[in-house]
């Protein structure tokens, strides 16, 4: 790894990010009627915001005469958040589902959110009048969830969690979601675990911060990883949004299409098995 290679990685990320931004811009003001399309647009903006900030705080490819502190932990946090946004986007909107099952997925996801917010406000003794509305919403979502025809498709353990006011955000496992999304589960685990290693304040991440020498080949390689880890998920999310909103989103450039094909291959087969 040298600065030229690092610059090439950032350029590829920039091209993918510019295309994602143009797809997002094409959807502004659309106001889709279907809940999953509405959430898809909003989650995609969230994913894109993480990517924009990640790029902004990534070190410049040009060398600097000023002392620099390269913060791998912050980059890793943003990359992890972007990948989690893709996971939710694909689960709720991009993976083909029959309407009733998609409806139940959204319902369970909203129930998880309302329940957690109600608990959080309750734990801090909130007197916000909106707490009653959140609690009422959580109760209404619970009643809809347990009466839904797909509630019985949850495992007994997940059904128990719903009844005990600890509803999951997803009705299937991470492995099952990876399989549905065409992503190698080992690849997904390797990427997210490595990002978590730097995101959390562990002995390793603390030592790494002080061992970094800005501009060194090893530091350049490590700072490029969050960018490269996010690329397949940003590219896949953008392609998914184009499929979800056909005819109104722009075509990718030849370079972005090549990146999509490459990173789809890597993420679907894993680094060890990719050709």
């Amino acid at each position: 790894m040298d600065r030229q290679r690092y610059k090439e990685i950032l350029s590829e990320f920039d091209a993918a990010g510019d295309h994602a931004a143009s797809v997002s811009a094409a959807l502004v003001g659309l106001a889709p009627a279907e809940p999953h399309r509405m959430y898809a647009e909003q989650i995609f903006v969230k994913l894109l915001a993480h990517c924009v900030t990640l790029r902004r705080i990534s070190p410049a490819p040009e060398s600097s005469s000023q002392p620099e502190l390269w913060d791998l932990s912050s980059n890793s946090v943003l990359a992890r958040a972007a990948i989690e946004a893709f996971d939710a986007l694909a689960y709720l909107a991009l993976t083909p589902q029959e309407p009733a099952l998609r409806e139940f997925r959204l319902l369970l996801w909203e129930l998880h959110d309302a329940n957690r917010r109600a608990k959080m406000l309750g734990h801090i003794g909130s007197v916000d009048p909106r707490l009653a509305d959140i609690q009422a919403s959580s109760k209404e979502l619970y009643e809809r969830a347990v009466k839904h025809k797909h509630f019985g498709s949850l495992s007994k353990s997940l059904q128990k969690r719903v009844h005990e006011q600890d509803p999951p955000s997803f009705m299937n496992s991470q492995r099952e979601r990876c399989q549905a999304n065409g992503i190698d589960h080992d690849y997904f685990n390797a990427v997210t675990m490595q990002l978590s290693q730097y995101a959390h304040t562990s002995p390793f991440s603390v030592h790494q911060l002080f061992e970094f020498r800005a501009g060194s080949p090893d530091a350049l390689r490590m700072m490029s990883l969050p960018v490269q880890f996010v690329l397949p998920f940003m590219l896949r999310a953008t392609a998914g949004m184009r499929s979800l909103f056909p005819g109104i989103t722009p075509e990718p450039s030849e370079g972005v299409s090549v990146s999509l094909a490459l990173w789809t291959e890597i993420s679907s087969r894993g680094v060890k098995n990719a050709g």
Side-chain angles (χ1 to χ4, degrees), residues 85-162:
F86 168 83
D87 193 30
L89 173 64
Y91 170 78
L92 295 171
L94 302 185
T95 306
Q97 298 292 336
E98 55 102 357
L101 181 56
R102 191 181 300 284
E103 176 187 63
F104 182 68
R105 286 188 171 193
L106 285 166
L107 180 58
L108 191 65
W109 187 62
E110 290 177 336
L111 173 61
H112 170 83
D113 176 62
N115 186 272
R116 293 290 291 271
R117 288 190 295 132
K119 281 185 176 180
M120 177 186 68
L121 292 172
H123 286 326
I124 65 174
S126 173
V127 294
D128 192 316
R130 291 172 295 182
L131 175 57
D133 293 334
I134 296 172
Q135 291 172 330
S137 174
S138 180
K139 181 180 179 181
E140 187 266 338
L141 288 167
Y142 166 77
E143 291 173 351
R144 287 175 54 196
V146 297
K147 293 176 183 177
H148 198 280
K149 74 174 190 175
H150 280 290
F151 183 73
S153 65
L154 292 177
S155 66
K156 295 299 182 183
S157 61
L158 291 186
Q159 290 184 37
K160 182 180 179 181
R161 285 183 58 184
V162 173

